[in-house]
Amino acid sequence: MDFMTDDKPEEEAIIQDEPEVTDTPEGTGSTRESLKRKLREHFDGKIVRKDLTKKIKEGANVPVYVLEFLLGQYCSSDDEEIVEDGVQTVKRILADNFVRPDEAQKILSKLRSQGSHTVIDSITVRLDIKKNIYVANFSNLGLSNVPIADEYPEKYDRLLCGGIWCIVQLDYEFVEEEKTNGNPVQIRKLTPIQMPHIEMAELKEGRSAFTKEEWMDVLLRSIGMEPDELKMREKWLLITRMIPLVENNFNLCELGPRSTGKSHLYKEISPNSILVSGGQSTVANLFYNMARKTVGLVGLWDCVAFDEVAGIRFKEKDGIQIMKDYMASASFARGKEEKAASASMVFVGNINQSVDVLLKTSSLFEPFPPEMGTDTAFLDRVHCYLPGWEIPKFRPEHFTNDYGFISDYLAEFIRELRKEQYGDTLDKYFRLGKNLNQRDTIAVRRMLDGYLKLLYPDGKFTKEELEEALTISLEMRRRVKEQLKKLGGMEFYDVNFSYIDLEDMSEHYVSVPEQGSGKLIPEGLTNPGQVYTVSHGRTGMIGVFRLESQMLPGNGKLERTGLGYDRDAKEAVNTAFNFLKANGNRISGAIKTTTKDYIINYQDLQGLGMTSKLALPTLIAICSIALSKPIQSSLAVLGEISISGTIMKVEELANAMQVCLDSGAKKILLPSTSFTDFATVPPDLMSAFQLIPYTSAEDAVFKALGVES
């Protein structure tokens, strides 16, 4: 077993040799008790029972970290009586002191009549330059320009940067002489509901007492999830959601079904992230306000999450461009200045169709607005695509009743970890494969760094544990690359991500689970008259089209369905039938064009608009049904013919072959005129197929049906 540092092998071996946590029901009770004991021993005062949070949260519209601050003060005990008394105290404090926006005037009236009152509210502080004093604004209470002592914004600078929740003791004193300019409301004392300071050495020391599985469970319980109800794969995916909070300038996308808690972490758990609900935004709000010369959300928060990505709009035309610039370089230019920021960007939204349908008909980025979802430059800047469809829809049993870190503590140590870096250890054991370009490499390294900081904040992990995190990092980035290949063609063909073990130089490839299913071109023989062709659709993108045929007794008519009003496609079909009438005997005397009727249905399998390159596929389909002979298995037909039978070369051969590969084709029927373009096709793409060349229309039919000419 290799360990990350050579100078402390004994210490690390002790940590790594602890028995693994079992997910079996029999061991759950003892495991939980053991875990609780370790938490009590190493993190006493920094943990809270999450069922208490849940119980009160349901009746109070207050952020989780506010609740847990109070619960940590009044309910930190194993004694049920003390806990129950503490819960009642917290409920009373919230009932009496938490300011609901609709009860603001009631609270102010109470403050006036009593002369003093304690409130829990979100406070923002600004410097009034004209008066040379700091003034506070109360979000829910609706008060503004309340003088505040200099010590508070100097001590808690987050008051000046977007505001934080506080417990504030207020006094009310109305002075007649000062009624014009004075403010009767005064701040006696302000206490932020946040951890004032965190000891990282204590955290790292405490982490060494836990196994990887135990620590993963602690993290998940800290964000309110119950790990015993989750599979290991689901645990990894939920941990992935936390990477933008622990890693600077990390861009994550998660699209999936509703009720999977996509935005919960960014809205409720961390006070260092902000959730921007889908809708119109401005460059000034998000990046930089040139009028006020103030930086926007990316400069104030560790993570900016966009909910409901389908609704993202910018008032300004250059909004998307500035966002792209920021996502790539962590800086943006406004006016004469270039500004840098470290906020990560998260895009979450809903998928309305099944994944299989999306993969066949469009891309996994389809829910994005068109100016983002089809812009390969924008999508290439997304480091990680988290498969939200693999996370279960949350039911009550998915939420924990056990102990986890107080949200404040979790948020603060995660924030501190943003300053550290562990991902460089990769170079000691592994090398990334040749298919990863610079952007892919940056994405994988950042993701790996994020996983290691979350799971191993003490920096102690084995080579096997590093490899586990590396594999899932490669998968998350490859999912982005697969969609880019679908949208951008050959520019992004190199999707076969791998890593090389430096010990034995073995190469390990990483796949994407959903890519292997639902191929458009099926394996095995199809029915006679069924043909698959790959060519440009009406939208200009290359897609897969299916032809299905039937033959009936008749007088030589051709009926076509599925073409609608597409004139070019209809003309191509007529070309094929007229060619067959003139040259059918050269193919087979058994093909009747005067005593049989043919019906052909055309299907655009990917919704790209019907192709006009249908003459050759139609000819093959009619011959196949007429001779009752299926085409070769897993065959894609490329190329086109004219009315005289002249064969035409394939446009964008490399891209067309890439689509064939993605669609499940194993053989390609190819015009010999396209051989000159082989130099544009990567060798590994070429070797993926059995290439079947044809030199004429008749030759194409013979080869497609697998008969000798």
Side-chain angles (χ1 to χ4, degrees), residues 55-88:
K55 197 184 294 181
I56 302 177
K57 176 68 181 164
E58 288 166 1
N61 188 18
V62 57
V64 168
Y65 48 88
V66 174
L67 262 185
E68 292 188 350
F69 175 84
L70 296 170
L71 289 169
Q73 284 193 321
Y74 296 101
C75 305
S76 186
S77 173
D78 280 334
D79 190 322
E80 281 299 323
E81 264 189 56
I82 295 174
V83 168
E84 191 53 42
D85 286 348
V87 167
Q88 295 308 318

Side-chain angles (χ1 to χ4, degrees), residues 434-620:
K434 62 178 178 7
N435 271 7
L436 282 88
N437 62 29
Q438 182 62 14
R439 278 216 172 117
D440 300 327
T441 303
I442 290 169
V444 169
R445 283 185 173 276
R446 283 192 185 168
M447 221 175 318
L448 178 65
D449 193 48
Y451 281 126
L452 295 177
K453 285 194 284 196
L454 285 166
L455 296 174
Y456 314 100
D458 55 351
K460 296 174 184 174
F461 41 88
T462 65
K463 176 184 173 183
E464 287 75 18
E465 287 166 339
L466 176 69
E467 189 172 8
E468 185 181 26
L470 175 60
T471 304
I472 197 162
S473 300
L474 284 162
E475 180 212 312
M476 296 295 162
R477 173 60 187 178
R478 178 170 175 174
R479 187 170 288 106
V480 175
K481 202 70 178 290
E482 289 280 1
Q483 304 315 304
L484 284 170
K485 182 181 71 175
K486 188 174 283 189
L487 294 165
M490 284 313 293
E491 186 185 351
F492 303 102
Y493 86 94
D494 45 355
V495 296
N496 293 313
F497 284 9
S498 63
Y499 62 92
I500 296 160
D501 190 329
L502 296 178
E503 193 175 334
D504 56 8
M505 298 309 289
S506 58
E507 191 164 10
H508 305 268
Y509 287 88
V510 176
S511 60
V512 182
E514 67 270 9
Q515 280 305 123
S517 62
K519 296 294 188 187
L520 294 174
I521 302 175
E523 290 187 34
L525 289 172
T526 55
N527 296 325
Q530 189 168 313
V531 175
Y532 291 87
T533 184
V534 172
S535 56
H536 285 82
R538 199 184 307 115
T539 58
M541 293 180 67
I542 301 173
V544 184
F545 305 88
R546 180 168 64 205
L547 286 69
E548 293 183 316
S549 318
Q550 283 296 337
M551 182 175 67
L552 304 166
N555 53 9
K557 289 181 183 172
L558 176 67
E559 187 181 336
R560 54 208 173 208
T561 61
L563 295 180
Y565 298 102
D566 194 322
R567 188 174 158 190
D568 292 339
K570 288 179 178 178
E571 284 182 4
V573 174
N574 291 338
T575 296
F577 198 52
N578 291 331
F579 178 85
L580 188 64
K581 284 178 181 176
N583 303 285
N585 287 334
R586 285 164 45 191
I587 297 171
S588 172
I591 300 173
K592 308 295 182 189
T593 55
T594 54
T595 59
K596 300 288 184 183
D597 287 349
Y598 298 94
I599 304 168
I600 306 180
N601 175 251
Y602 297 86
Q603 298 168 37
D604 173 10
L605 296 182
Q606 293 172 296
L608 303 176
M610 185 52 68
T611 182
S612 59
K613 308 280 193 303
L614 289 174
L616 182 64
T618 302
L619 177 66
I620 294 170

Side-chain angles (χ1 to χ4, degrees), residues 52-328:
L52 303 177
T53 306
K54 190 166 51 176
K55 197 184 294 181
I56 302 177
K57 176 68 181 164
E58 288 166 1
N61 188 18
V62 57
V64 168
Y65 48 88
V66 174
L67 262 185
E68 292 188 350
F69 175 84
L70 296 170
L71 289 169
Q73 284 193 321
Y74 296 101
C75 305
S76 186
S77 173
D78 280 334
D79 190 322
E80 281 299 323
E81 264 189 56
I82 295 174
V83 168
E84 191 53 42
D85 286 348
V87 167
Q88 295 308 318
T89 305
V90 171
K91 283 183 175 177
R92 192 169 62 252
I93 289 171
L94 287 173
D96 294 343
N97 305 115
F98 178 72
V99 181
R100 286 175 46 176
D102 58 335
E103 293 183 350
Q105 290 303 314
K106 180 182 163 185
I107 299 287
L108 288 172
S109 175
K110 190 182 283 188
L111 173 62
R112 179 176 176 263
S113 62
Q114 294 179 352
S116 66
H117 189 63
T118 302
V119 298
I120 297 173
D121 202 349
S122 179
I123 314 293
T124 312
V125 174
R126 66 178 181 85
L127 177 64
D128 188 329
I129 294 176
K130 289 182 180 177
K131 294 180 181 177
N132 193 32
I133 58 168
Y134 288 106
V135 291
N137 294 340
F138 290 68
S139 176
N140 290 355
L141 197 56
L143 286 175
S144 57
N145 299 326
V146 179
I148 184 171
D150 292 4
E151 62 178 288
Y152 294 116
E154 287 168 6
K155 194 174 178 182
Y156 312 114
D157 57 356
R158 285 298 296 273
L159 286 166
L160 299 162
C161 308
I164 51 176
W165 284 83
C166 303
I167 296 176
V168 189
Q169 293 178 22
L170 296 175
D171 290 336
Y172 191 98
E173 187 180 354
F174 184 79
V175 181
E176 185 71 30
E177 290 78 23
E178 296 178 5
K179 65 180 180 182
T180 317
N181 298 317
N183 195 323
V185 179
Q186 304 293 324
I187 294 172
R188 189 197 305 170
K189 188 181 178 185
L190 180 145
T191 309
I193 303 180
Q194 265 182 268
M195 298 286 291
H197 181 66
I198 187 158
E199 200 59 60
M200 289 303 291
E202 185 187 18
L203 171 80
K204 293 178 179 183
E205 190 181 337
R207 166 62 183 94
S208 62
F210 298 79
T211 64
K212 179 200 80 180
E213 288 80 6
E214 286 175 336
W215 188 254
M216 194 178 267
D217 287 0
V218 171
L219 286 179
L220 291 172
R221 287 195 179 111
S222 300
I223 61 172
M225 300 291 108
E226 179 45 67
D228 291 346
E229 295 291 328
L230 299 167
K231 301 172 185 162
M232 183 51 79
R233 167 82 172 169
E234 291 163 357
K235 290 182 185 181
W236 273 99
L237 294 178
L238 289 174
I239 293 289
T240 306
R241 283 180 177 172
M242 300 170 74
I243 294 179
L245 299 171
V246 79
E247 197 66 20
N248 292 319
N249 304 111
F250 184 78
N251 309 317
L252 178 142
C253 165
E254 181 185 355
L255 302 177
R258 291 162 179 81
S259 303
T260 55
K262 294 185 289 291
S263 58
H264 174 72
L265 175 67
Y266 311 111
K267 186 176 184 180
E268 298 286 357
I269 304 298
S270 175
N272 303 320
S273 67
I274 187 167
L275 185 73
V276 180
S277 296
Q280 202 166 56
S281 186
T282 63
V283 173
N285 178 48
L286 199 56
F287 296 103
Y288 190 74
N289 190 319
M290 292 179 68
R292 295 181 182 171
K293 298 203 178 319
T294 54
V295 74
L297 297 177
V298 295
L300 303 178
W301 300 89
D302 290 348
C303 174
V304 179
F306 295 87
D307 198 8
E308 301 298 340
V309 293
I312 297 175
R313 297 285 184 277
F314 278 96
K315 281 186 178 178
E316 302 90 343
K317 288 182 180 177
D318 60 349
I320 300 287
Q321 195 55 49
I322 293 171
M323 185 182 272
K324 284 198 293 193
D325 183 21
Y326 174 73
M327 287 168 71

